Amino acid sequence: MARFFNGKKIELLAPSGTMETFREVVQANCDAIYIGGQKLNMRMIRKGYNFSNEQICEALNISREKGKKLYVTVNNLVSNDEINEAVEYLDFLNSISIDGIIVQDTGILQICQDHQFNQFEIHSSVMMNAHNLEFVKALQKCGVSRVVLPREMDLKTAKLIQNHLDIETEYFIHGDMCTVNGSNCYYSSFIWGNSSNCGRCFKPCRWPYRVKKDGYVYKTEFPLAAKDMYMYEHIPELIDACVTSFKIEGRMRETDFIVDLVNTYGDAIDRYLDNPLAFQRKQGAEELYNNRKRDFTTAYAFSEPGLDFINTRYEGTGKFYSTGKVFSTPTEEPKLTDRTIRKMKEEFSSYNIEASSSKKLSVKVNNFEQAKACIELGVERIYLPSEVLLPDTPLTSEQLKQLVIMKKDTELYLDLPQMMDELQFDIIDQYLDKHGIYFDGLLVSNLGAIAKYGTDYKVITDYNINIFNAKAMEFYEKLGASEFTASIEMKSDQLANFISTANMQVELIVHGPLRVMYLNHNLYKNTDYFSPEEKEDNFYVDNQILTLCTDKGENPVYIDQNRKNHLYTSKEFCMLPILEHLQFGEKLRYRIEGQTYTTEELKTIIKVYQEALAYPASCQELFASIASVRAGYTAGCLSYKSTKQTSVLQ
């Protein structure tokens, strides 16, 4: 089955979570179906919603009888101890010539190259967040034939990518959305050890929050709860944007709901292909609206949606569709307890290699005064921001030159934007053309920037690259990365294994509030739209910083000069009590996330860590002497031990 519009291939891609649903969906008006197996996919959290190898073979045979494609999601992050399992599973999918696999982890791309698995297409998952031309170009060179575009991408950019590159694109047209940029939400992982990047999200974005700013409370109830994507009335615009595959979300939704949804969209596409002049956009729309789970949005397809992006309908703001159970309730960030410290010590002590004579410390800063203080204290490396958290302002050219004159042996790195569209690449290109000589390297947060700058600068990957295994490290090393920041989502045993097996230098974040959400969605707009209800000061940060509050804590949300929002933990991540047990030789260096501290607070923390690195036996004493300036200390994901990626919910 194939659809075409002026020679352009059009595919309607349907979800299926069970064999029962598949038997119905394959009869529906779609061109392809995507499913998950019982290994390495992002729906392992739900028991019974994945296909056995035998069922995958059966589904493939049925699909071929119907003339339809079948894609399998291999879209989880893979730890080192799952590499062999991944090779075995990919070998199976290759042997049956599945039509395609959907991949998040670049380690899977590296495995496919190593073993020459070429009997299936490779599609990059939406969780790979391929959000710029350089990113997509790099994936194409690595054998990716289709890119599932980020939910935050507008159709103009989608068309730009298609016009520049001969690659298929896929776009979510209906279903669940998130306010946080894809693969850039770590809050569920931080609180419960259940990662949204591994399909185990417990949806703290759908909690009720109070918004506080400037000493006032703004009652917005669900400020992070996004509406469902709805592109039914915009099929002409999707085709004009050269989108190949129209993807419906919903592998865990009920059969009848999915079948009706697929047939309604399929009928609309057929009506438009048959007679675009007579196409009626709203025909069938009322049925979709009446059967909706949440309210509808076109999200970022045409422009930034603003507060209209946020759902006010009860269904979906706090419950699972299929069971009616609550996602989760507001939960305090885990405390750094004596028990947690003991567990981490045991885990890391078992991997000790050798003591290092060189204890290298890096600090990520937000302003000139912080950077100057770091140089004065002899910090080995400083990361200077290109995304500056307000009310600070970007460094002037004169301030940068002053730091260069002062720095002595201190390395200066430019921390590139976490998400980079074509405008930001132009800005960074011009900036590096004028100021690149002042930097020793770049801290990079997306594949496109690594591919573009990796040949001209020393490049270090930041934690949100989400490198979980040695194969992914090998993949990025080939693109020019020379150092790697460990993911903040690794559990204690995963992190110890990752560092010990790494053949490149690894930087480990050891202290600071951590950014656990990165958003295009501007929460500060709430204070413009809603009237203040009552007075209340922030607990730990200045009142001019917006905070999201529950009865379990208060999270600061900073805004940068590009209006991106950065939600940080209320507690400070701290590895000081176990620093003496991190003996991994010369391959390990340490980083303080210092952007949200005052200069004096940062100085105190730097001095403590410098003393701890010089005299490891003093770590416990130093930890007892340093008081948290926020809501306390936490070990985040290190509070948990990894478990097999199996179903946990009935």
Side-chain angles (χ1 to χ4, degrees):
M1 185 174 181
R3 293 178 166 102
F4 293 92
F5 184 88
N6 289 334
K8 300 175 187 175
K9 177 183 172 182
I10 306 298
E11 175 187 272
L12 180 59
L13 178 56
S16 177
T18 67
M19 198 67 198
E20 176 189 3
T21 300
F22 175 83
R23 293 184 189 281
E24 299 295 323
V25 171
V26 76
Q27 307 288 339
N29 192 6
C30 62
D31 308 290
I33 302 161
Y34 66 101
I35 63 175
Q38 293 185 340
K39 299 178 181 179
L40 307 177
N41 91 78
M42 287 188 65
R43 292 296 179 266
M44 302 301 296
I45 196 169
R46 291 297 305 279
K47 187 176 181 179
Y49 274 80
N50 294 294
F51 288 57
S52 67
N53 286 1
E54 292 75 18
Q55 288 175 323
I56 291 174
C57 291
E58 182 182 356
L60 182 60
N61 289 334
I62 296 172
S63 297
R64 286 177 174 162
E65 288 174 5
K66 298 293 182 182
K68 300 184 179 184
K69 296 286 185 72
L70 185 68
Y71 308 132
V72 174
T73 56
V74 191
N75 59 346
N76 231 329
L77 295 175
V78 180
S79 62
N80 271 336
D81 59 8
E82 292 172 315
I83 292 293
N84 291 336
E85 183 180 15
V87 172
E88 180 183 341
Y89 185 47
L90 290 167
D91 183 51
F92 159 69
L93 295 175
N94 191 64
S95 70
I96 65 172
S97 298
I98 199 74
D99 292 303
I101 62 172
I102 303 172
V103 175
Q104 175 186 187
D105 196 321
T106 54
I108 297 293
L109 297 183
Q110 189 60 48
I111 290 171
C112 289
Q113 292 176 11
D114 291 345
H115 294 268
Q116 298 182 336
F117 293 144
N118 53 18
Q119 295 303 305
F120 46 63
E121 294 179 0
I122 300 176
H123 301 172
S124 70
S125 167
V126 68
M127 297 303 293
M128 198 175 277
N129 203 350
H131 58 276
N132 56 61
L133 269 173
E134 295 293 339
F135 201 135
V136 177
K137 194 186 303 180
L139 290 177
Q140 189 176 34
K141 289 179 180 177
C142 297
V144 173
S145 61
R146 177 184 293 181
V147 174
V148 186
L149 299 171
R151 290 177 170 94
E152 302 80 30
M153 183 174 287
D154 62 81
L155 292 181
K156 286 183 179 179
T157 305
K159 188 171 185 178
L160 173 73
I161 288 173
Q162 188 62 58
N163 287 342
H164 281 78
L165 301 172
D166 183 22
I167 193 169
E168 291 187 353
T169 55
E170 186 171 299
Y171 199 81
F172 276 95
I173 62 168
H174 198 102
D176 198 4
M177 290 288 289
C178 185
T179 47
V180 186
N181 287 46
S183 73
N184 281 279
C185 183
Y186 302 96
Y187 205 29
S188 177
S189 186
F190 194 86
I191 297 174
W192 298 286
N194 283 295
S195 168
S196 61
N197 296 317
C198 294
R200 304 173 74 88
C201 185
F202 276 59
K203 300 186 181 292
C205 58
R206 299 201 178 273
W207 290 347
Y209 290 96
R210 291 184 305 138
V211 172
K212 286 200 300 184
K213 187 178 182 294
D214 297 325
Y216 290 96
V217 176
Y218 299 82
K219 188 177 180 182
T220 59
E221 196 169 10
F222 294 102
L224 290 171
K227 295 178 179 177
D228 273 1
M229 186 61 163
Y230 171 80
M231 291 293 288
Y232 180 76
E233 298 174 35
H234 301 286
I235 289 167
E237 287 76 18
L238 286 162
I239 293 175
D240 179 64
C242 303
V243 172
T244 304
S245 183
F246 297 7
K247 187 171 192 172
I248 294 173
E249 181 275 333
R251 279 198 282 146
M252 293 197 296
R253 295 187 185 181
E254 59 270 23
T255 301
D256 290 346
F257 178 83
I258 289 297
V259 170
D260 290 345
L261 193 59
V262 169
N263 283 331
T264 304
Y265 268 92
D267 175 67
I269 293 170
D270 289 339
R271 286 190 289 107
Y272 181 65
L273 299 185
D274 179 62
N275 189 347
L277 285 177
F279 180 62
Q280 297 181 41
R281 293 175 184 259
K282 290 190 175 294
Q283 182 177 328
E286 185 176 357
E287 181 182 354
L288 291 177
Y289 183 80
N290 290 336
N291 291 309
R292 72 196 187 283
K293 301 295 187 180
R294 303 182 181 110
D295 284 328
F296 288 148
T297 178
T298 56
Y300 292 89
F302 302 105
S303 63
E304 290 193 6
L307 295 185
D308 189 55
F309 193 34
I310 300 305
N311 183 49
T312 56
R313 182 178 164 86
Y314 178 72
E315 289 88 340
T317 56
K319 291 186 176 182
F320 284 107
Y321 289 144
S322 52
T323 65
K325 294 180 180 178
V326 173
F327 292 129
S328 62
T329 56
T331 305
E332 184 182 0
E333 295 167 5
K335 296 177 181 178
L336 182 56
T337 63
D338 290 340
R339 182 172 178 271
T340 302
I341 293 170
R342 284 196 303 272
K343 284 170 54 182
M344 290 193 295
K345 284 180 179 179
E346 291 170 4
E347 205 65 61
F348 283 100
S349 294
S350 65
Y351 280 94
N352 279 357
I353 298 174
E354 58 181 292
S356 171
S357 59
S358 175
K359 305 291 189 179
K360 300 174 182 177
L361 185 65
S362 303
V363 180
K364 190 182 283 190
V365 302
N366 195 59
N367 58 50
F368 174 70
E369 291 301 324
Q370 287 180 330
K372 192 166 66 168
C374 288
I375 291 173
E376 291 169 351
L377 291 172
V379 169
E380 285 80 9
R381 181 185 292 169
I382 305 171
Y383 297 114
L384 301 174
S386 55
E387 289 182 309
V388 179
L389 307 181
L390 304 182
D392 289 338
T393 56
L395 270 67
T396 66
S397 298
E398 289 306 313
Q399 287 174 330
L400 177 58
K401 291 174 184 176
Q402 188 175 340
L403 293 176
V404 172
I405 293 170
M406 292 173 56
K407 72 171 193 163
K408 298 179 182 176
D409 294 328
T410 299
E411 296 178 332
L412 297 181
Y413 276 66
L414 180 64
D415 178 13
L416 296 188
Q418 190 154 325
M419 303 281 290
M420 296 180 66
D421 57 20
E422 307 317 311
L423 171 60
Q424 286 169 317
F425 268 110
D426 280 348
I427 292 170
I428 294 298
D429 285 348
Q430 176 70 8
Y431 185 79
L432 289 176
D433 183 58
K434 299 290 185 181
H435 303 93
I437 58 171
Y438 301 127
F439 293 102
D440 296 285
L442 307 175
L443 182 65
V444 175
S445 296
N446 72 85
L447 174 57
I450 296 171
K452 183 175 177 63
Y453 302 118
T455 55
D456 297 324
Y457 293 89
K458 182 177 179 180
V459 166
I460 301 170
T461 67
D462 208 352
Y463 67 86
N464 57 291
I465 292 284
N466 295 335
I467 297 174
F468 254 67
N469 57 71
K471 286 296 178 183
M473 194 179 291
E474 181 182 344
F475 177 88
Y476 285 107
E477 183 184 359
K478 290 180 179 178
L479 290 176
S482 57
E483 289 184 30
F484 304 89
T485 306
S487 170
I488 61 171
E489 286 201 302
M490 288 188 189
K491 315 291 176 57
S492 55
D493 56 328
Q494 291 173 329
L495 180 59
N497 177 273
F498 179 80
I499 298 171
S500 67
T501 58
N503 59 3
M504 303 284 288
Q505 188 161 83
V506 174
E507 185 157 278
L508 180 63
I509 295 172
V510 293
H511 199 95
L514 299 181
R515 178 174 55 194
V516 288
M517 288 187 182
Y518 181 86
L519 311 97
N520 281 12
H521 179 64
N522 189 354
L523 288 157
Y524 280 72
K525 288 290 184 183
N526 286 289
T527 62
D528 297 331
Y529 184 81
F530 294 101
S531 299
E533 291 194 335
E534 57 187 289
K535 289 187 175 183
E536 186 179 324
D537 292 329
N538 289 340
F539 295 143
Y540 306 108
V541 297
D542 192 278
N543 277 345
Q544 65 184 310
I545 306 301
L546 183 144
T547 57
L548 293 185
C549 310
T550 70
D551 61 343
K552 300 298 183 181
E554 176 179 290
N555 292 90
V557 180
Y558 296 85
I559 187 170
D560 65 32
Q561 78 272 31
N562 298 315
R563 299 189 303 279
K564 304 292 186 186
N565 280 207
H566 309 247
L567 184 144
Y568 278 78
T569 57
S570 60
K571 290 184 170 65
E572 297 171 83
F573 182 74
C574 180
M575 294 190 72
L576 183 58
I578 66 162
L579 214 60
E580 63 181 307
H581 296 272
L582 300 176
Q583 302 297 341
F584 292 95
E586 299 293 327
K587 70 171 65 177
L588 190 61
R589 63 181 304 136
Y590 310 87
R591 186 202 300 174
I592 295 168
E593 294 280 297
Q595 308 97 298
T596 62
Y597 290 119
T598 66
T599 302
E600 290 305 312
E601 289 169 345
L602 184 57
K603 283 181 180 180
T604 299
I605 294 165
I606 291 171
K607 289 175 183 177
V608 166
Y609 273 86
Q610 286 176 328
E611 185 173 352
L613 291 172
Y615 307 102
S618 67
C619 287
Q620 289 294 339
E621 182 182 344
L622 288 167
F623 178 61
S625 71
I626 183 173
S628 172
V629 300
R630 298 293 173 89
Y633 289 125
T634 180
C637 300
L638 297 178
S639 303
Y640 305 97
K641 190 168 182 177
S642 64
T643 56
K644 188 69 175 173
Q645 294 179 1
T646 54
S647 304
V648 298
L649 295 180
Q650 299 297 319

